[in-house]
Amino acid sequence: MKYKDYFIRNEREQKFAEMADKLAVNFAKRAYEHDVEGSFPFENFEDMKVAGYLKTTVPKEYGGDGASLYEMVLMQERIAKGDGSTALGVGWHVGMMLSLRESREWPEELFKDFCKKVVEEGEMINSFASERATGSPARGGRPQTTAEKTTDGWVITGRKTFSTLSPILNYFTVSAGINDENKIGRFLVQKSDNVKVEETWNTMSMRATGSHDVILDNVFVPDSALIEIEVPGGKTHHQGDSGWMLHIPACYIGIAHAARDFAVQYALNYRPNSLPGPIAEVDHIQQKIGKIEAELKTARMFLYSVADRWDKNPDERPQLKSELGLAKYVATNSALSIVDQAMRIVGGASLSRKLPLERMYRDVRAGLHNPPADDVVLKGLAMAALWPKN
């Protein structure tokens, strides 16, 4: 059997791709409204729940599909072609479930119970770690959110920023500094009356991710909800392999891919009366399309090859850190260039809010601020070149 996309290699991947493609069609129809309003696309997530998308990376033994990293990337790219905000949002959930499946960093009973909630009730998960004072947790700051031990659990108080999916989540993890100790705890929190979502998300990019502030006011969690206690500078589960974060470059390549498709169709159909045929026949338009093709194919090839290597060689995953970061660097920077070229092809009309390109142009810029940051990736590559490990 031959597949339209040469990154689809078998019938299982074809089925995953078809599910994502079908969902993306409706997401694209709703994207303009949610972008203008900055509203959360609840209906998109209901569609994904019904289709079974939310359980794709849940382990098979707990009722999921056990989707590989490669398969997740394949699906996420397609979801992003419909709506970048929805793809980035759901990417944190499906990516985190894949990470938990591989690492088993949660207590097994806790993980099993949550997998059941995902499969049967469509629950989702994300990690809320960023804070205004510390910025990205990847930079190593101690959270100002605090956790105080009680006789039968913990009481958590604080505020988290960039809390993607906050309007829809009933469960999320938080990092909190343990009172009077130089330790940081991570906890699974269930939404309650003591958890408030303050709608602070009003940005130029990814306007429909619902990445508001989440305020925790003396929120009680039982001892069974403690995931891990870490000592700053020590090794932790969640700081290990980051393969699951390829959902980020997949998202931005998906947006760029959609911009490419729009520009190509526009070039084939737009016929100004100053020309004998469509602008697709003009040399400088062909040059721009050629540049788009070169960057898109290169970025996709690298992204999928890294994902495939991660899947096939589990023992090598710790050595893939540079490649994982580079996949994100290449994808996000290529996406910026691809969408820019698409807008040059379409011309002044690309600035119109009636067309999707101006939203895509804004959305791909958000990739620069998703982890890992460009400077982190480049420094890691430089360190590996200058002082390679023996």
Side-chain angles (χ1 to χ4, degrees):
M1 181 177 180
K2 293 184 178 181
Y3 306 103
K4 186 176 181 181
D5 184 345
Y6 53 77
F7 288 105
I8 298 175
R9 306 167 300 182
N10 53 57
E11 291 186 15
R12 175 180 162 93
E13 291 172 0
Q14 179 70 29
K15 289 179 181 178
F16 279 137
E18 288 175 353
M19 173 172 56
D21 285 339
K22 184 176 180 180
L23 289 165
V25 170
N26 285 328
F27 297 171
K29 295 175 183 177
R30 302 164 182 158
Y32 171 82
E33 179 182 355
H34 287 298
D35 177 69
V36 170
E37 297 177 352
S39 53
F40 190 80
F42 289 98
E43 63 273 44
N44 290 356
F45 286 85
E46 180 62 27
D47 287 352
M48 287 188 284
K49 174 183 174 180
V50 172
Y53 192 88
L54 302 180
K55 69 177 184 65
T56 51
T57 53
V58 172
K60 290 182 179 180
E61 65 265 33
Y62 293 149
D65 299 307
S68 67
L69 180 61
Y70 187 102
E71 290 164 344
M72 185 192 78
V73 166
L74 190 72
M75 291 183 283
Q76 283 296 115
E77 182 189 0
R78 283 164 165 73
I79 293 293
K81 290 177 73 174
D83 178 36
S85 288
T86 297
L88 188 62
V90 76
W92 292 108
H93 162 73
V94 293
M96 192 167 169
M97 292 306 299
L98 186 149
S99 175
L100 294 173
R101 186 187 79 207
E102 294 295 318
S103 68
R104 289 302 208 266
E105 65 178 76
W106 285 15
E108 194 62 25
E109 282 303 311
L110 184 67
F111 181 54
K112 179 181 179 180
D113 180 64
F114 187 74
C115 286
K116 182 178 180 180
K117 289 180 169 64
V118 175
V119 172
E120 297 181 1
E121 303 168 30
E123 294 289 359
M124 293 187 293
I125 190 73
N126 196 5
S127 175
F128 297 163
S130 296
E131 297 183 1
R132 290 178 182 174
T134 60
S136 169
R139 301 291 183 177
R142 178 181 170 87
Q144 291 191 324
T145 298
T146 61
E148 185 173 353
K149 188 72 179 76
T150 66
T151 55
D152 55 350
W154 301 80
V155 174
I156 303 174
T157 299
R159 176 190 285 260
K160 297 295 184 180
T161 58
F162 297 104
S163 302
T164 299
L165 299 178
S166 58
I168 200 172
L169 291 184
N170 293 316
Y171 296 88
F172 51 90
T173 65
V174 297
S175 56
I178 296 176
N179 281 349
D180 302 321
E181 295 186 41
N182 185 31
K183 295 178 180 179
I184 297 171
R186 289 196 302 127
F187 305 86
L188 177 64
V189 176
Q190 183 173 0
K191 196 171 184 180
S192 67
D193 291 339
N194 288 27
V195 177
K196 305 293 183 185
V197 176
E198 185 175 317
E199 296 190 357
T200 54
W201 190 245
N202 185 16
T203 60
M204 63 173 279
S205 306
M206 294 295 184
R207 288 176 50 76
T209 58
S211 302
H212 303 297
D213 285 10
V214 170
I215 303 168
L216 302 98
D217 183 13
N218 292 312
V219 176
F220 174 79
V221 297
D223 282 326
S224 60
L226 173 64
I227 297 169
E228 183 178 37
I229 293 179
E230 63 181 83
V231 177
K235 178 67 175 178
T236 67
H237 285 99
H238 74 290
Q239 291 174 337
D241 172 65
S242 56
W244 66 278
M245 292 182 70
L246 287 189
H247 80 87
I248 296 172
C251 173
Y252 293 104
I253 282 298
I255 297 170
H257 204 154
R260 172 265 188 201
D261 291 351
F262 185 91
V264 167
Q265 288 304 309
Y266 188 91
L268 288 168
N269 291 292
Y270 180 50
R271 296 170 177 263
N273 61 15
S274 58
L275 295 175
I279 63 171
E281 298 174 358
V282 178
D283 183 68
H284 79 86
I285 296 296
Q286 293 176 359
Q287 290 294 311
K288 290 180 176 62
I289 292 174
K291 184 176 180 181
I292 286 175
E293 293 299 279
E295 291 192 290
L296 183 61
K297 288 180 181 293
T298 299
R300 293 188 80 212
M301 188 69 71
F302 189 73
L303 175 62
Y304 282 94
S305 66
V306 172
D308 187 52
R309 184 176 171 187
W310 189 92
D311 285 330
K312 291 180 177 178
N313 303 285
D315 293 340
E316 294 183 12
R317 291 174 183 175
Q319 286 75 51
L320 282 178
K321 185 176 180 179
S322 292
E323 284 76 8
L324 293 166
L326 184 57
K328 189 266 181 178
Y329 175 89
V330 170
T332 51
N333 285 283
S334 296
L336 290 171
S337 177
I338 290 166
V339 178
D340 179 71
Q341 292 299 317
M343 294 187 77
R344 291 171 187 263
I345 291 167
V346 175
S350 67
L351 301 175
S352 172
R353 301 211 73 179
K354 294 181 179 179
L355 300 183
L357 282 182
E358 66 88 28
R359 183 184 74 249
M360 295 172 181
Y361 182 82
R362 289 183 284 110
D363 279 352
V364 291
R365 298 208 64 81
L368 297 174
H369 308 287
N370 289 138
D374 284 4
D375 66 300
V376 174
V377 174
L378 295 176
K379 182 176 180 179
L381 292 169
M383 296 293 284
L386 292 167
W387 298 286
K389 294 180 180 179
N390 295 325

